[in-house]
C-alpha cells in the first residue's frame, strides 16, 4: 500500500463513523479532502467519477471505490470500500439485537430525534456541493431542476433520467 | 417486541448472496427501494415492520445503510457466514462493473461525447440528490418545532457553506442536537 492509500484508508475509516444518512452524505467532506486538501484528484476527475458511480448499478459507496482506484488501482479500490463499510458493519453486527430491545427507551428516542436533522442537513450539503460542481452551463442547471422536479413529484425510475441526461450530454447540450 | 415470523423456507447462504446481488444489479440511484422489494415482497424473509425497524437501525448506525442492512439480514439468517455472503453479494458484482466503467473512462475519457455524457449524468444526479434533500427536509420543517430546522440549517452552514472538517464539526452538532432534543421533550 502506498502512503497516499494508507492516509486515505485511515481518513475514510474515521469518516465512515460519521456517515449518518449514507455514504452520499460524505461527498462534500470527501471533496474537501481529496481535491482541496490533498490534490489527489482534479475537480474534473472528481465530477467524472461521481457521474460514473451514478451510472453504475449498486450502492452509492461505489464513488469511494473509484477514488480508491484512482489513488492506488484495484488494491486502492478494495481498501477504500472496506474502509467505508467495515466499521459500520462491525457496529451493526454487535448492535443488531440490542436495538430492538431498547425500542421504547427514552435515550434511543432522544438520540434518533437529535440525529435526524443532521442527516437531512448533510444531504442538503451534498446537493449544494454537487450542484456547484455539475452546473457550469445554463442547460445543466435546467437539467438539474427538471430531474429534481420529476423525481420529487413522480415515481419515475431514476435510471431513465440519468439516461436522458447522458444522451443530451453526449449530443453536446450540456 | 415483535415476534419474528420465520420465513417458510430459511434462506441458504447462496440465497442471501443472490438476493443482495439482485438488489445491487437493479439499483440505480439507491439500493434501498430494491432491497424492500426483494426481501419483503418477493422473498418474504422480513415483514414490512421488521424491514422498517431493521432499516431504522442501519440508517442510524455509521456507514452505508445498505451494507449495514446486508450484515443485519445476513446475520439473522446465517450468522457470520450469512453476513459475509450477503455483503459479498452486494459489493462483488458492483465493484467489478464500476471498475470496468472506470477503465473505459481511463481510455476514452477525453472523447468529447463521453465527456458530455458524464456532464449530463452529473447534472441529473445533482437533481436527484436535490429532490431527496427536499423529500427529507419537508417532514422536518412541518413539525412546527424550532429545533430540527435550526440544526438542519447549522449543519448546512457548517459543512456545506463554511466547509468545516466533518470529523469535529459533526460530533459537536450531534452532541448539541441530542442534548437539546432531550431537554425540550
Amino acid at each position: 500500500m502506498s502512503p497516499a492509500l494508507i492516509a486515505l484508508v485511515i481518513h475514510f475509516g474515521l469518516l465512515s463513523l460519521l456517515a449518518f444518512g449514507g455514504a452520499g452524505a460524505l461527498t462534500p467532506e470527501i471533496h474537501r479532502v481529496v481535491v482541496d486538501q490533498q490534490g489527489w484528484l482534479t475537480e474534473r476527475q472528481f465530477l467524472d467519477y461521481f457521474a460514473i458511480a451514478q451510472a453504475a448499478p449498486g450502492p452509492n459507496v461505489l464513488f469511494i471505490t473509484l477514488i480508491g482506484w484512482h489513488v492506488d488501482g484495484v488494491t486502492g479500490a478494495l481498501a477504500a470500500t472496506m474502509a467505508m463499510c467495515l466499521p459500520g458493519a462491525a457496529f451493526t453486527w454487535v448492535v443488531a439485537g440490542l436495538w430492538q430491545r431498547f425500542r421504547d427507551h427514552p435515550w434511543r428516542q432522544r438520540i434518533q430525534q437529535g440525529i435526524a436533522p443532521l442527516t437531512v442537513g448533510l444531504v442538503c450539503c451534498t446537493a449544494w456541493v454537487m450542484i456547484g460542481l455539475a452546473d457550469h452551463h445554463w442547460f445543466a442547471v435546467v437539467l438539474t431542476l427538471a430531474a429534481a422536479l420529476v423525481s420529487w413529484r413522480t415515481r419515475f425510475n431514476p435510471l431513465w433520467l440519468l439516461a436522458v441526461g447522458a444522451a443530451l450530454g453526449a449530443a453536446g447540450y450540456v | 417486541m415483535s415476534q419474528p415470523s420465520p420465513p417458510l423456507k430459511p434462506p441458504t447462504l447462496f440465497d442471501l448472496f443472490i438476493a443482495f446481488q439482485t438488489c445491487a444489479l437493479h439499483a440505480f440511484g439507491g439500493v434501498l427501494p430494491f432491497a424492500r422489494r426483494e426481501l419483503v415482497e418477493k422473498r418474504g424473509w422480513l415483514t414490512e415492520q421488521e424491514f422498517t425497524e431493521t432499516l431504522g437501525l442501519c440508517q442510524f448506525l455509521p456507514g452505508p445503510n445498505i451494507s449495514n442492512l446486508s450484515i443485519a439480514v445476513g446475520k439473522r439468517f446465517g450468522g457470520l457466514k450469512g453476513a459475509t455472503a450477503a455483503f459479498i453479494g452486494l459489493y462483488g458484482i458492483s465493484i467489478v462493473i464500476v471498475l470496468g466503467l472506470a477503465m473505459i473512462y481511463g481510455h476514452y475519457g477525453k472523447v468529447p461525447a463521453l465527456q458530455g455524457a458524464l456532464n449530463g449524468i452529473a447534472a441529473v444526479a445533482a437533481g436527484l440528490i436535490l429532490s431527496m434533500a427536499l423529500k427529507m427536509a419537508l417532514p422536518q420543517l412541518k413539525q412546527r418545532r424550532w429545533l430540527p430546522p435550526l440544526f438542519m440549517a447549522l449543519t448546512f452552514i457548517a459543512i456545506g457553506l463554511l466547509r468545516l472538517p466533518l470529523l469535529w464539526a459533526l460530533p459537536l452538532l450531534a452532541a448539541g442536537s441530542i442534548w437539546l432534543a432531550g431537554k425540550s421533550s
Side-chain angles (χ1 to χ4, degrees):
Chain A
M1 290 220 272
S2 68
L5 185 64
I6 293 170
L8 181 132
V9 164
I10 292 172
H11 200 85
F12 283 8
L14 288 172
L15 278 186
S16 78
L17 297 174
L18 296 170
F20 309 118
L26 294 178
T27 309
E29 171 73 7
I30 289 167
H31 180 268
R32 195 184 69 81
V33 173
V34 303
V35 179
D36 299 340
Q37 204 180 56
Q38 305 286 348
W40 285 327
L41 283 80
T42 64
E43 200 97 300
R44 178 75 243 177
Q45 288 166 330
F46 186 87
L47 188 63
D48 286 348
Y49 284 130
F50 186 80
I52 293 170
Q54 290 290 325
N60 297 334
V61 73
L62 292 179
F63 175 49
I64 284 139
T65 310
L66 289 177
I67 293 178
W69 184 74
H70 184 90
V71 173
D72 206 357
V74 174
T75 321
L78 295 179
T81 314
M82 290 300 133
M84 276 314 285
C85 296
L86 285 189
F91 263 102
T92 310
W93 175 264
V94 174
V95 177
L98 290 175
W99 189 249
Q100 305 297 358
R101 210 178 305 161
F102 290 110
R103 183 152 46 154
D104 301 315
H105 197 277
W107 263 105
R108 183 184 142 174
Q109 316 256 351
R110 197 176 295 181
I111 292 173
Q112 274 186 319
Q113 259 178 32
I115 296 287
L118 306 193
T119 307
V120 182
L122 282 177
V123 177
C124 295
C125 295
T126 305
W128 173 254
V129 169
M130 291 322 296
I131 288 169
L133 287 172
D135 293 352
H136 288 303
H137 187 280
W138 69 267
F139 192 79
V141 178
V142 172
L143 208 51
T144 297
L145 293 177
L149 195 68
V150 171
S151 102
W152 185 30
R153 283 295 174 198
T154 70
R155 299 190 52 138
F156 218 56
N157 190 332
L159 178 60
W160 297 115
L161 297 175
L162 292 167
V164 169
L168 289 171
Y173 286 103
V174 186
Chain B
M1 184 94 198
S2 64
Q3 205 54 257
S5 51
L8 298 173
K9 189 161 88 44
T12 62
L13 294 182
F14 185 68
D15 292 337
L16 285 165
F17 176 84
I18 290 295
F20 277 92
Q21 188 180 75
T22 311
C23 294
L25 283 175
H26 286 88
F28 292 90
V31 185
L32 290 175
F34 293 93
R36 174 190 294 272
R37 202 171 71 181
E38 192 70 23
L39 300 176
V40 179
E41 293 165 27
K42 233 177 85 186
R43 296 181 184 259
W45 291 348
L46 302 174
T47 65
E48 194 71 42
Q49 201 203 339
E50 284 166 350
F51 181 82
T52 307
E53 279 186 12
T54 312
L55 181 61
L57 168 72
C58 295
Q59 284 178 322
F60 173 70
L61 289 174
N65 302 334
I66 183 67
S67 87
N68 291 346
L69 188 73
S70 74
I71 299 292
V73 173
K75 180 186 183 185
R76 175 168 160 179
F77 292 116
L80 186 58
K81 283 182 190 164
T84 311
F87 185 84
I88 294 176
L90 181 66
Y91 280 109
I93 190 80
S94 317
I95 291 179
V96 170
I97 293 175
V98 86
L99 289 185
L101 290 177
M103 284 171 194
I104 295 173
Y105 165 76
H107 282 285
Y108 302 103
K110 299 279 185 287
V111 174
L114 181 64
Q115 202 52 250
L118 289 174
N119 284 340
I121 291 172
V124 170
L128 296 178
I129 294 170
L130 180 62
S131 102
M132 187 160 91
L134 282 172
K135 283 180 194 168
M136 291 174 78
L138 287 177
Q140 296 282 329
L141 297 175
K142 278 183 186 159
Q143 287 179 14
R144 298 200 181 181
R145 289 172 41 231
W146 57 275
L147 265 181
L150 174 70
F151 274 92
M152 246 173 68
L154 284 177
T155 306
F156 183 74
I157 293 167
I159 312 290
L161 300 182
L162 301 178
R163 303 288 180 96
L164 297 178
L166 200 71
L167 278 179
W168 60 262
L170 200 61
L172 281 180
L173 285 164
S177 181
I178 291 169
W179 184 61
L180 287 172
K183 291 196 84 168
S184 72
S185 63

